Amino acid sequence: MMWYMSMHRVVKKTLYAGGFGLFVCLILFLIISPFLPKKQNTGPVVTPEPLQAIAVENIVAIPHIDEPGPTGKTVDVVARLRNNNPRAGTGDYPVTFQLKDSSGSVIQSVTQHEYVLPGAIGYVAALDIQVPPGTTYDHAEVVTPKDVQLMTIPDSAPTPQFSVFLQDRTLIASGNFPYEQQTGIVTNTSSFDWHVVDVVAVALDDNGAIIGVGKSTVGKLLVGEQRQFTLQWPRPNAKTNRVIAIATTNMFNDSNFVNIIGDPNALR
Protein backbone atom coordinates (compact mmCIF):
# COMPACT_ATOMS: atom_id res chain seq x y z
CA MET A 1 0.00 0.00 0.00
CA MET A 2 2.81 2.40 0.87
CA TRP A 3 4.46 1.54 -2.41
CA TYR A 4 1.25 2.36 -4.33
CA MET A 5 0.84 5.73 -2.60
CA SER A 6 4.42 6.66 -3.32
CA MET A 7 4.04 5.70 -6.98
CA HIS A 8 0.83 7.74 -7.26
CA ARG A 9 2.59 10.87 -5.94
CA VAL A 10 5.43 10.41 -8.42
CA VAL A 11 2.98 10.15 -11.30
CA LYS A 12 1.09 13.28 -10.20
CA LYS A 13 4.32 15.26 -9.89
CA THR A 14 5.36 14.07 -13.34
CA LEU A 15 2.06 15.14 -14.86
CA TYR A 16 2.22 18.54 -13.15
CA ALA A 17 5.78 19.05 -14.36
CA GLY A 18 4.87 18.02 -17.92
CA GLY A 19 1.88 20.33 -17.98
CA PHE A 20 3.89 23.21 -16.64
CA GLY A 21 6.57 22.54 -19.29
CA LEU A 22 3.97 22.60 -22.08
CA PHE A 23 2.54 25.84 -20.71
CA VAL A 24 5.98 27.46 -20.66
CA CYS A 25 6.68 26.27 -24.21
CA LEU A 26 3.36 27.72 -25.41
CA ILE A 27 4.12 31.10 -23.81
CA LEU A 28 7.60 31.16 -25.38
CA PHE A 29 6.17 30.25 -28.82
CA LEU A 30 3.63 33.06 -28.63
CA ILE A 31 6.40 35.51 -27.73
CA ILE A 32 8.88 34.55 -30.47
CA SER A 33 6.46 33.53 -33.25
CA PRO A 34 6.26 37.06 -34.77
CA PHE A 35 10.03 36.95 -35.30
CA LEU A 36 10.15 33.55 -36.99
CA PRO A 37 10.60 33.52 -40.82
CA LYS A 38 7.31 33.16 -42.63
CA LYS A 39 6.81 30.19 -44.91
CA GLN A 40 6.09 31.53 -48.37
CA ASN A 41 3.11 30.24 -50.25
CA THR A 42 4.68 28.84 -53.40
CA GLY A 43 1.94 28.28 -55.93
CA PRO A 44 2.45 26.96 -59.43
CA VAL A 45 5.37 28.70 -61.17
CA VAL A 46 4.34 30.23 -64.50
CA THR A 47 7.14 29.91 -67.02
CA PRO A 48 6.89 32.44 -69.88
CA GLU A 49 6.54 30.84 -73.28
CA PRO A 50 9.63 31.07 -75.50
CA LEU A 51 9.47 33.67 -78.24
CA GLN A 52 8.62 32.35 -81.68
CA ALA A 53 10.75 32.94 -84.77
CA ILE A 54 9.49 35.43 -87.34
CA ALA A 55 7.99 33.51 -90.26
CA VAL A 56 8.66 34.40 -93.90
CA GLU A 57 5.72 33.58 -96.14
CA ASN A 58 4.63 33.95 -99.75
CA ILE A 59 7.84 35.10 -101.46
CA VAL A 60 6.94 36.56 -104.85
CA ALA A 61 9.28 37.82 -107.58
CA ILE A 62 7.99 40.07 -110.36
CA PRO A 63 10.58 40.32 -113.16
CA HIS A 64 10.53 43.24 -115.60
CA ILE A 65 12.78 41.71 -118.22
CA ASP A 66 10.84 40.97 -121.42
CA GLU A 67 10.00 44.66 -121.74
CA PRO A 68 12.70 46.49 -119.74
CA GLY A 69 11.63 49.66 -118.01
CA PRO A 70 13.54 52.93 -117.58
CA THR A 71 16.02 51.25 -115.22
CA GLY A 72 16.70 48.28 -117.48
CA LYS A 73 16.10 44.64 -116.62
CA THR A 74 14.92 44.56 -113.02
CA VAL A 75 13.04 42.36 -110.58
CA ASP A 76 10.72 43.35 -107.73
CA VAL A 77 10.69 40.93 -104.79
CA VAL A 78 8.11 40.96 -102.01
CA ALA A 79 7.58 38.69 -98.99
CA ARG A 80 5.11 38.56 -96.14
CA LEU A 81 6.46 38.54 -92.58
CA ARG A 82 4.39 37.07 -89.75
CA ASN A 83 5.27 37.77 -86.11
CA ASN A 84 3.27 35.51 -83.78
CA ASN A 85 4.68 37.19 -80.65
CA PRO A 86 1.93 39.59 -79.53
CA ARG A 87 4.20 41.64 -77.21
CA ALA A 88 7.65 41.32 -78.79
CA GLY A 89 9.29 42.66 -81.94
CA THR A 90 12.47 44.24 -83.26
CA GLY A 91 13.53 47.54 -84.73
CA ASP A 92 16.38 46.06 -86.79
CA TYR A 93 15.60 43.04 -88.94
CA PRO A 94 18.00 42.70 -91.90
CA VAL A 95 16.38 41.06 -94.93
CA THR A 96 18.45 39.98 -97.93
CA PHE A 97 16.80 39.68 -101.34
CA GLN A 98 18.74 37.44 -103.72
CA LEU A 99 18.44 36.96 -107.47
CA LYS A 100 19.71 33.58 -108.66
CA ASP A 101 20.33 31.88 -111.99
CA SER A 102 19.19 28.36 -112.93
CA SER A 103 22.20 26.78 -111.18
CA GLY A 104 21.31 28.49 -107.89
CA SER A 105 24.21 30.93 -107.99
CA VAL A 106 23.55 34.41 -106.63
CA ILE A 107 23.77 37.00 -109.41
CA GLN A 108 22.54 39.95 -107.36
CA SER A 109 21.90 40.61 -103.67
CA VAL A 110 20.29 43.51 -101.83
CA THR A 111 20.01 43.82 -98.04
CA GLN A 112 17.49 46.10 -96.32
CA HIS A 113 17.11 46.75 -92.61
CA GLU A 114 13.44 46.31 -91.80
CA TYR A 115 11.53 46.34 -88.50
CA VAL A 116 8.89 43.95 -87.19
CA LEU A 117 6.13 45.13 -84.86
CA PRO A 118 4.65 42.93 -82.11
CA GLY A 119 1.99 40.57 -83.42
CA ALA A 120 2.19 42.08 -86.90
CA ILE A 121 1.68 40.67 -90.38
CA GLY A 122 3.17 42.86 -93.10
CA TYR A 123 5.09 43.01 -96.34
CA VAL A 124 8.74 43.76 -97.06
CA ALA A 125 9.79 44.54 -100.60
CA ALA A 126 12.89 45.34 -102.63
CA LEU A 127 12.11 47.19 -105.84
CA ASP A 128 14.05 47.39 -109.10
CA ILE A 129 16.79 44.89 -108.22
CA GLN A 130 19.15 45.04 -111.16
CA VAL A 131 19.86 41.92 -113.22
CA PRO A 132 23.60 42.25 -114.04
CA PRO A 133 24.53 42.26 -117.73
CA GLY A 134 25.68 38.85 -118.97
CA THR A 135 23.60 36.96 -116.40
CA THR A 136 20.30 35.15 -116.70
CA TYR A 137 17.72 35.53 -113.97
CA ASP A 138 15.85 32.38 -112.92
CA HIS A 139 14.33 32.88 -109.45
CA ALA A 140 14.55 34.89 -106.24
CA GLU A 141 15.01 34.02 -102.59
CA VAL A 142 14.65 35.94 -99.34
CA VAL A 143 17.13 35.35 -96.52
CA THR A 144 16.34 36.46 -92.96
CA PRO A 145 18.51 36.26 -89.81
CA LYS A 146 18.30 33.05 -87.81
CA ASP A 147 19.02 34.61 -84.44
CA VAL A 148 17.22 37.86 -83.69
CA GLN A 149 17.07 39.54 -80.28
CA LEU A 150 13.40 40.40 -79.93
CA MET A 151 12.40 43.16 -77.52
CA THR A 152 9.43 42.49 -75.25
CA ILE A 153 7.20 45.48 -74.54
CA PRO A 154 4.98 45.90 -71.43
CA ASP A 155 1.38 44.75 -71.65
CA SER A 156 0.27 48.36 -71.13
CA ALA A 157 2.37 49.73 -74.01
CA PRO A 158 0.25 50.56 -77.07
CA THR A 159 1.43 49.56 -80.55
CA PRO A 160 1.15 51.85 -83.61
CA GLN A 161 -2.27 51.86 -85.25
CA PHE A 162 -3.19 53.29 -88.66
CA SER A 163 -6.18 53.18 -90.95
CA VAL A 164 -5.72 53.18 -94.73
CA PHE A 165 -8.36 54.32 -97.20
CA LEU A 166 -7.62 53.58 -100.87
CA GLN A 167 -8.73 56.13 -103.45
CA ASP A 168 -8.24 56.09 -107.22
CA ARG A 169 -6.22 53.52 -109.14
CA THR A 170 -5.20 54.72 -112.59
CA LEU A 171 -2.93 53.78 -115.48
CA ILE A 172 -0.20 56.29 -116.31
CA ALA A 173 2.96 56.39 -118.41
CA SER A 174 6.48 57.61 -117.71
CA GLY A 175 7.91 58.18 -121.15
CA ASN A 176 6.99 55.02 -123.04
CA PHE A 177 6.84 52.86 -119.93
CA PRO A 178 3.37 52.14 -118.47
CA TYR A 179 2.70 52.22 -114.72
CA GLU A 180 -0.25 51.54 -112.48
CA GLN A 181 -0.76 54.19 -109.81
CA GLN A 182 -2.68 53.89 -106.54
CA THR A 183 -3.52 56.80 -104.26
CA GLY A 184 -4.87 56.65 -100.74
CA ILE A 185 -5.11 58.31 -97.33
CA VAL A 186 -3.47 57.07 -94.13
CA THR A 187 -4.77 58.19 -90.72
CA ASN A 188 -2.79 58.00 -87.49
CA THR A 189 -5.12 56.29 -85.01
CA SER A 190 -2.25 55.62 -82.58
CA SER A 191 -1.66 57.14 -79.16
CA PHE A 192 1.59 58.76 -80.33
CA ASP A 193 2.80 61.15 -83.02
CA TRP A 194 5.31 59.74 -85.52
CA HIS A 195 8.00 61.31 -87.67
CA VAL A 196 7.91 58.64 -90.40
CA VAL A 197 5.13 56.30 -91.52
CA ASP A 198 5.74 53.64 -94.17
CA VAL A 199 3.14 52.30 -96.60
CA VAL A 200 3.58 49.06 -98.58
CA ALA A 201 0.96 47.83 -101.03
CA VAL A 202 0.52 44.75 -103.21
CA ALA A 203 -1.71 44.45 -106.27
CA LEU A 204 -3.62 41.17 -106.62
CA ASP A 205 -5.21 39.54 -109.66
CA ASP A 206 -8.53 37.69 -109.77
CA ASN A 207 -6.91 34.60 -108.21
CA GLY A 208 -5.36 36.54 -105.31
CA ALA A 209 -1.81 36.28 -106.72
CA ILE A 210 0.54 39.24 -106.26
CA ILE A 211 1.22 40.93 -109.60
CA GLY A 212 2.58 44.29 -108.43
CA VAL A 213 4.17 45.90 -105.39
CA GLY A 214 4.90 49.48 -104.37
CA LYS A 215 6.00 51.33 -101.27
CA SER A 216 6.15 54.91 -100.08
CA THR A 217 6.90 57.00 -97.01
CA VAL A 218 4.85 59.83 -95.57
CA GLY A 219 6.23 62.49 -93.28
CA LYS A 220 5.28 63.54 -89.75
CA LEU A 221 1.86 62.24 -88.78
CA LEU A 222 0.30 63.49 -85.55
CA VAL A 223 -2.44 61.66 -83.68
CA GLY A 224 -5.66 61.86 -85.68
CA GLU A 225 -3.92 63.47 -88.66
CA GLN A 226 -4.41 62.26 -92.24
CA ARG A 227 -1.99 62.29 -95.13
CA GLN A 228 -2.29 61.27 -98.76
CA PHE A 229 0.16 58.84 -100.38
CA THR A 230 0.85 57.66 -103.92
CA LEU A 231 2.19 54.25 -104.95
CA GLN A 232 3.34 53.04 -108.36
CA TRP A 233 4.42 49.75 -109.92
CA PRO A 234 5.02 48.64 -113.52
CA ARG A 235 1.71 47.88 -115.20
CA PRO A 236 1.00 44.16 -114.68
CA ASN A 237 0.22 41.81 -117.55
CA ALA A 238 -2.95 40.72 -115.75
CA LYS A 239 -5.72 43.02 -114.58
CA THR A 240 -5.51 44.20 -110.98
CA ASN A 241 -8.54 43.03 -109.04
CA ARG A 242 -7.74 44.71 -105.71
CA VAL A 243 -4.93 46.31 -103.72
CA ILE A 244 -3.88 45.65 -100.12
CA ALA A 245 -2.03 48.54 -98.45
CA ILE A 246 -0.50 48.39 -94.95
CA ALA A 247 0.84 51.38 -93.00
CA THR A 248 3.42 50.88 -90.24
CA THR A 249 6.10 52.74 -88.31
CA ASN A 250 9.19 51.77 -86.34
CA MET A 251 8.11 52.04 -82.70
CA PHE A 252 11.52 50.74 -81.55
CA ASN A 253 13.32 53.81 -82.89
CA ASP A 254 13.27 56.48 -80.17
CA SER A 255 13.94 59.24 -82.68
CA ASN A 256 10.74 58.33 -84.51
CA PHE A 257 8.59 59.68 -81.67
CA VAL A 258 7.59 63.31 -82.10
CA ASN A 259 8.46 65.40 -79.05
CA ILE A 260 5.89 68.17 -78.80
CA ILE A 261 6.89 71.31 -76.89
CA GLY A 262 4.09 73.23 -75.22
CA ASP A 263 0.41 72.29 -75.01
CA PRO A 264 -0.20 69.20 -77.21
CA ASN A 265 -3.92 70.06 -77.41
CA ALA A 266 -3.04 73.24 -79.27
CA LEU A 267 -1.65 71.15 -82.13
CA ARG A 268 -4.68 68.90 -82.52
Side-chain angles (χ1 to χ4, degrees), residues 88-125:
T90 177
D92 188 10
Y93 190 71
V95 180
T96 300
F97 303 83
Q98 296 179 341
L99 303 185
K100 295 188 174 183
D101 59 20
S102 57
S103 68
S105 298
V106 178
I107 59 176
Q108 188 65 280
S109 179
V110 174
T111 298
Q112 298 178 172
H113 287 265
E114 307 287 347
Y115 56 88
V116 182
L117 299 183
I121 301 175
Y123 292 98
V124 291

Side-chain angles (χ1 to χ4, degrees), residues 2-262:
M2 293 295 293
W3 173 84
Y4 173 78
M5 293 295 293
S6 176
M7 191 67 177
H8 181 69
R9 286 194 295 270
V10 170
V11 171
K12 287 180 65 176
K13 289 180 179 180
T14 303
L15 291 175
Y16 289 150
F20 180 75
L22 290 175
F23 177 76
V24 172
C25 290
L26 178 62
I27 296 300
L28 290 175
F29 175 77
L30 293 176
I31 293 174
I32 67 174
S33 61
F35 303 99
L36 294 175
K38 304 295 184 181
K39 182 180 178 181
Q40 295 184 355
N41 183 18
T42 56
V45 178
V46 179
T47 303
E49 296 183 1
L51 296 178
Q52 301 182 47
I54 298 171
V56 181
E57 305 173 338
N58 195 27
I59 300 173
V60 176
I62 308 171
H64 310 294
I65 295 175
D66 294 337
E67 297 180 2
T71 57
K73 296 183 177 182
T74 63
V75 179
D76 295 339
V77 183
V78 58
R80 184 171 61 231
L81 298 183
R82 180 186 299 271
N83 181 13
N84 290 322
N85 302 289
R87 306 304 298 173
T90 177
D92 188 10
Y93 190 71
V95 180
T96 300
F97 303 83
Q98 296 179 341
L99 303 185
K100 295 188 174 183
D101 59 20
S102 57
S103 68
S105 298
V106 178
I107 59 176
Q108 188 65 280
S109 179
V110 174
T111 298
Q112 298 178 172
H113 287 265
E114 307 287 347
Y115 56 88
V116 182
L117 299 183
I121 301 175
Y123 292 98
V124 291
L127 307 182
D128 291 329
I129 304 177
Q130 295 285 334
V131 178
T135 62
T136 302
Y137 163 78
D138 181 76
H139 64 282
E141 293 184 6
V142 173
V143 180
T144 56
K146 295 182 179 179
D147 298 321
V148 178
Q149 188 67 37
L150 298 180
M151 180 183 298
T152 301
I153 64 174
D155 292 339
S156 59
T159 56
Q161 300 292 330
F162 303 95
S163 65
V164 176
F165 175 74
L166 295 178
Q167 297 176 305
D168 297 329
R169 187 170 69 250
T170 57
L171 300 177
I172 63 172
S174 176
N176 295 323
F177 192 73
Y179 282 95
E180 190 167 51
Q181 178 171 284
Q182 175 73 63
T183 59
I185 294 177
V186 57
T187 304
N188 182 5
T189 57
S190 307
S191 303
F192 296 98
D193 306 320
W194 306 101
H195 276 295
V196 177
V197 176
D198 302 308
V199 181
V200 179
V202 292
L204 308 177
D205 63 11
D206 293 337
N207 299 318
I210 296 177
I211 55 177
V213 56
K215 58 182 182 179
S216 181
T217 299
V218 300
K220 183 187 298 182
L221 203 60
L222 305 181
V223 173
E225 188 177 15
Q226 296 180 333
R227 192 176 298 274
Q228 190 176 51
F229 62 86
T230 300
L231 301 167
Q232 293 181 349
W233 48 83
R235 188 180 304 177
N237 294 326
K239 181 182 177 181
T240 298
N241 177 278
R242 63 191 179 100
V243 172
I244 298 176
I246 300 176
T248 60
T249 193
N250 190 352
M251 66 175 294
F252 297 101
N253 183 0
D254 291 341
S255 64
N256 194 27
F257 290 86
V258 177
N259 295 320
I260 299 177
I261 300 175

